[in-house]
């Protein structure tokens, strides 16, 4: 979930100044409304407080900034594509197994206890 607070704390680390954040990105995320149409009937407009508009150009960029530090402290191979992340390591002995598990634990900690507290890991997709 991307909010103004999150972007305010992360974007300066990516050389995006607070002025740019409040201007371009802040305006893009603030004061948004949405409604849905089901079988030709429209709902009332409601305010949207989090997330980014789907299908936008800026959305994927914000997501990349959001996960930029995901691999810090990970000492095995890591592949990231869109919202999919894989870590892997050749396991030859119990030490390798323990190191891989320690890296998995770091990712879980990043997702649960990190600066976001909102990222979910889909365990059923893990092999």
């Amino acid at each position: 979930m991307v909010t103004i607070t999150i972007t305010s704390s992360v974007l300066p680390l990516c050389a995006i100044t607070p002025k740019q954040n409040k201007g371009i990105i802040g305006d893009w995320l603030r004061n948004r409304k949405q409604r849905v149409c089901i079988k030709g009937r429209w709902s009332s407009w409601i305010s949207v407080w989090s997330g980014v508009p789907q299908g936008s150009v800026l959305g994927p960029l914000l997501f990349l900034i959001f996960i930029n530090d995901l691999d810090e402290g990970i000492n095995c191979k890591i592949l990231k594509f869109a919202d999919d992340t894989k870590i892997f390591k050749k396991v030859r002995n119990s030490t390798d197994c323990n190191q891989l598990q320690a890296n998995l634990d770091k990712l879980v900690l990043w997702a649960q206890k990190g600066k976001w507290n909102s990222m979910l890991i889909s365990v059923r997709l893990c092999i």
Side-chain angles (χ1 to χ4, degrees), residues 17-30:
T17 67
K19 184 176 181 180
Q20 291 168 320
N21 179 27
K22 287 181 182 174
I24 299 168
I25 297 171
D27 288 346
W28 181 69
L29 290 173
R30 252 191 307 276

Side-chain angles (χ1 to χ4, degrees), residues 29-35 44-49:
L29 290 173
R30 252 191 307 276
N31 301 321
R32 292 183 295 121
K33 295 188 179 288
Q34 71 180 26
R35 66 181 180 163
S44 301
W45 287 98
I46 62 166
S47 295
V48 179
W49 300 101

Side-chain angles (χ1 to χ4, degrees), residues 35-82:
R35 66 181 180 163
V36 296
C37 180
I38 300 174
K39 296 183 180 181
R41 298 195 58 178
W42 288 95
S43 68
S44 301
W45 287 98
I46 62 166
S47 295
V48 179
W49 300 101
S50 63
V52 295
Q54 291 187 0
S56 66
V57 174
L58 199 50
L61 174 63
L62 287 177
F63 184 76
L64 290 174
I65 292 169
F66 183 80
I67 65 164
N68 188 46
D69 66 341
L70 174 73
D71 52 357
E72 286 182 9
I74 302 295
N75 60 4
C76 61
K77 296 187 187 280
I78 187 165
L79 294 174
K80 293 190 276 187
F81 179 75

